Amino acid sequence: MIVANSLPSSSAINVFAQSNPRIEQENHHVKSHEIEMGVDELSGDRIAYNLNSYLVRDVTSNETKDITSNYTNETTIPGPTIIVNEGDEVIITLVNEMGWGYPGVHTHGAHYKITSDGTLKELNKVSDQAASPTKPFTVKWDAANGTAGSWPFHDHTIGRNVLGKSMDGLETVGLFSSIIINPSDGKVNALINGVPKQVNVSDIDKDYILFVNDDVFWGTEVDYSKGGKHTQLGTNPTLTAANNSIVRFNIQSTGNEFHNFTMDNIEWLSPGTNKVINSHIIGPLANHVFTIEANKNSSYYDNSTINLLGGMKGDFVISDSLDAQVFENSVNKEVV
């Protein structure tokens, strides 16, 4: 049960979850992503992020584009996916919409000053960095050169017991999402028709964001053929792609277990190599990213007996290989 608590004063330090807390931000940025996110309660004792506004400002020209409409206005699991390029800055103002507790936001991968660590003074030795019921909290992240990849962000400040002594936060109940940092040269490695190649990020038709929880997958997709529309896919979702399109899988993990992410009939490149694989072991708050040409139907799952029996599995479907009605019925439309 989730208990409304005050900011904890002490805790064991979760070293594994920390990332780049003392790296100074760059002084020069290409674009500034100015985001307001809320935190609210869902049914079933779940808590999650929502998106209130998202502006992208060109730092040189000061021209601003509002992309809020690319996202749902609902509180969702995972929360809103943030997509930037190396050289960009991210400014997130977190608003506590619950009326209790002190939620925060902590990222992996991106750089930030210690004042944007999104943790508690017990850990960062500077200040408690969370949103109270009456006061939002703002963090700044730097997508500096060398940070390209897909990285989780999550809560790190709400305790889980009556004494408020847990530093783990509440990411496991829903307070998690992903920041995708595209490389500054605009190219990623991919397996295209069985051949390792570099492809342009601009040629990616869809991003799938799959969070591996202890017993279920949570999914989001970003469809660039629809102007970057973000769609929440619910649990163990069916992923769809046009035949021969380029798609990127962003696999993240929350919870406390290790999982063997596997796909039938599909292979991809092990990151940073030309080694072809069809499975990858992923642990808590880790990530695994790969890009492929979509030309085969498949299933994805955690290749462990207990989780397979529990239904931790989804389908990957090439859309023009299906009858339209079958396709419509096959898609998991559950939105949390």
Side-chain angles (χ1 to χ4, degrees):
M1 180 177 178
I2 296 169
V3 180
N5 59 278
S6 61
L7 283 174
S9 59
S10 63
S11 169
I13 296 177
N14 183 351
V15 176
F16 181 78
Q18 304 313 303
S19 171
N20 302 321
R22 300 186 184 277
I23 297 177
E24 294 292 318
Q25 290 180 300
E26 299 291 337
N27 293 323
H28 304 288
H29 297 99
V30 179
K31 291 181 179 179
S32 177
H33 297 252
E34 299 164 6
I35 302 165
E36 182 181 294
M37 289 198 315
V39 175
D40 208 352
E41 295 176 273
L42 297 168
S43 61
D45 281 339
R46 293 192 178 276
I47 304 174
Y49 297 113
N50 59 59
L51 185 86
N52 294 333
S53 64
Y54 193 141
L55 302 178
V56 182
R57 181 171 59 86
D58 186 293
V59 174
T60 301
S61 67
N62 209 35
E63 293 181 356
T64 300
K65 182 178 182 181
D66 188 339
I67 63 170
T68 308
S69 62
N70 283 350
Y71 294 79
T72 178
N73 59 6
E74 302 294 326
T75 303
T76 60
I77 303 174
T81 303
I82 299 170
I83 302 175
V84 304
N85 297 322
E86 285 183 315
D88 290 353
E89 178 187 39
V90 180
I91 303 172
I92 298 177
T93 298
L94 191 66
V95 180
N96 184 340
E97 299 173 350
M98 301 185 295
W100 63 269
Y102 295 82
V105 58
H106 168 85
T107 190
H108 298 217
H111 294 175
Y112 49 82
K113 293 181 179 180
I114 193 61
T115 49
S116 289
D117 187 48
T119 58
L120 301 176
K121 186 175 182 179
E122 174 74 16
L123 183 61
N124 62 51
K125 310 302 180 186
V126 175
S127 61
D128 290 323
Q129 299 166 18
S132 76
T134 58
K135 187 176 180 181
F137 189 82
T138 298
V139 296
K140 295 182 180 181
W141 303 338
D142 177 27
N145 288 335
T147 63
S150 296
W151 311 97
F153 65 81
H154 58 98
D155 170 70
H156 222 317
T157 56
I158 299 182
R160 287 188 289 186
N161 59 36
V162 293
L163 299 177
K165 298 297 184 181
S166 172
M167 291 291 283
D168 292 334
L170 285 177
E171 72 270 3
T172 54
V173 303
L175 277 171
F176 55 83
S177 193
S178 181
I179 177 171
I180 298 174
I181 303 176
N182 288 315
S184 57
D185 66 1
K187 296 183 180 297
V188 294
N189 294 328
L191 190 65
I192 307 297
N193 243 351
V195 179
K197 292 184 176 180
Q198 279 205 321
V199 300
N200 295 323
V201 170
S202 59
D203 291 332
I204 295 174
D205 294 278
K206 280 188 177 182
D207 264 311
Y208 307 113
I209 298 90
L210 280 178
F211 269 89
V212 189
N213 213 322
D214 283 345
D215 57 0
V216 72
F217 291 98
W218 292 90
T220 301
E221 74 167 26
V222 184
D223 189 341
Y224 300 105
S225 71
K226 297 181 179 179
K229 185 71 174 177
H230 294 237
T231 302
Q232 303 302 125
L233 301 178
T235 58
N236 300 326
T238 296
L239 308 177
T240 63
N243 195 25
N244 298 321
S245 62
I246 306 298
V247 297
R248 179 167 56 182
F249 285 77
N250 304 268
I251 313 301
Q252 316 280 353
S253 180
T254 63
N256 301 302
E257 299 179 1
F258 282 79
H259 303 268
N260 188 3
F261 178 83
T262 304
M263 294 189 75
D264 289 333
N265 206 33
I266 296 286
E267 295 179 325
W268 61 90
L269 295 178
S270 179
T273 75
N274 283 337
K275 181 182 178 181
V276 176
I277 60 176
N278 76 334
S279 66
H280 180 79
I281 294 175
I282 185 169
L285 292 174
N287 58 325
H288 181 63
V289 185
F290 60 89
T291 304
I292 60 171
E293 182 178 17
N295 51 27
K296 297 176 183 177
N297 291 334
S298 178
S299 295
Y300 65 89
Y301 50 92
D302 176 17
N303 193 13
S304 67
T305 301
I306 187 169
N307 284 333
L308 275 175
L309 290 174
M312 196 169 176
K313 181 178 181 179
D315 293 321
F316 176 58
V317 179
I318 307 304
S319 60
D320 64 6
S321 69
L322 289 177
D323 174 83
Q325 186 59 51
V326 174
F327 174 75
E328 181 72 16
N329 292 339
S330 71
V331 177
N332 182 346
K333 292 187 175 181
E334 178 186 357
V335 176
V336 179

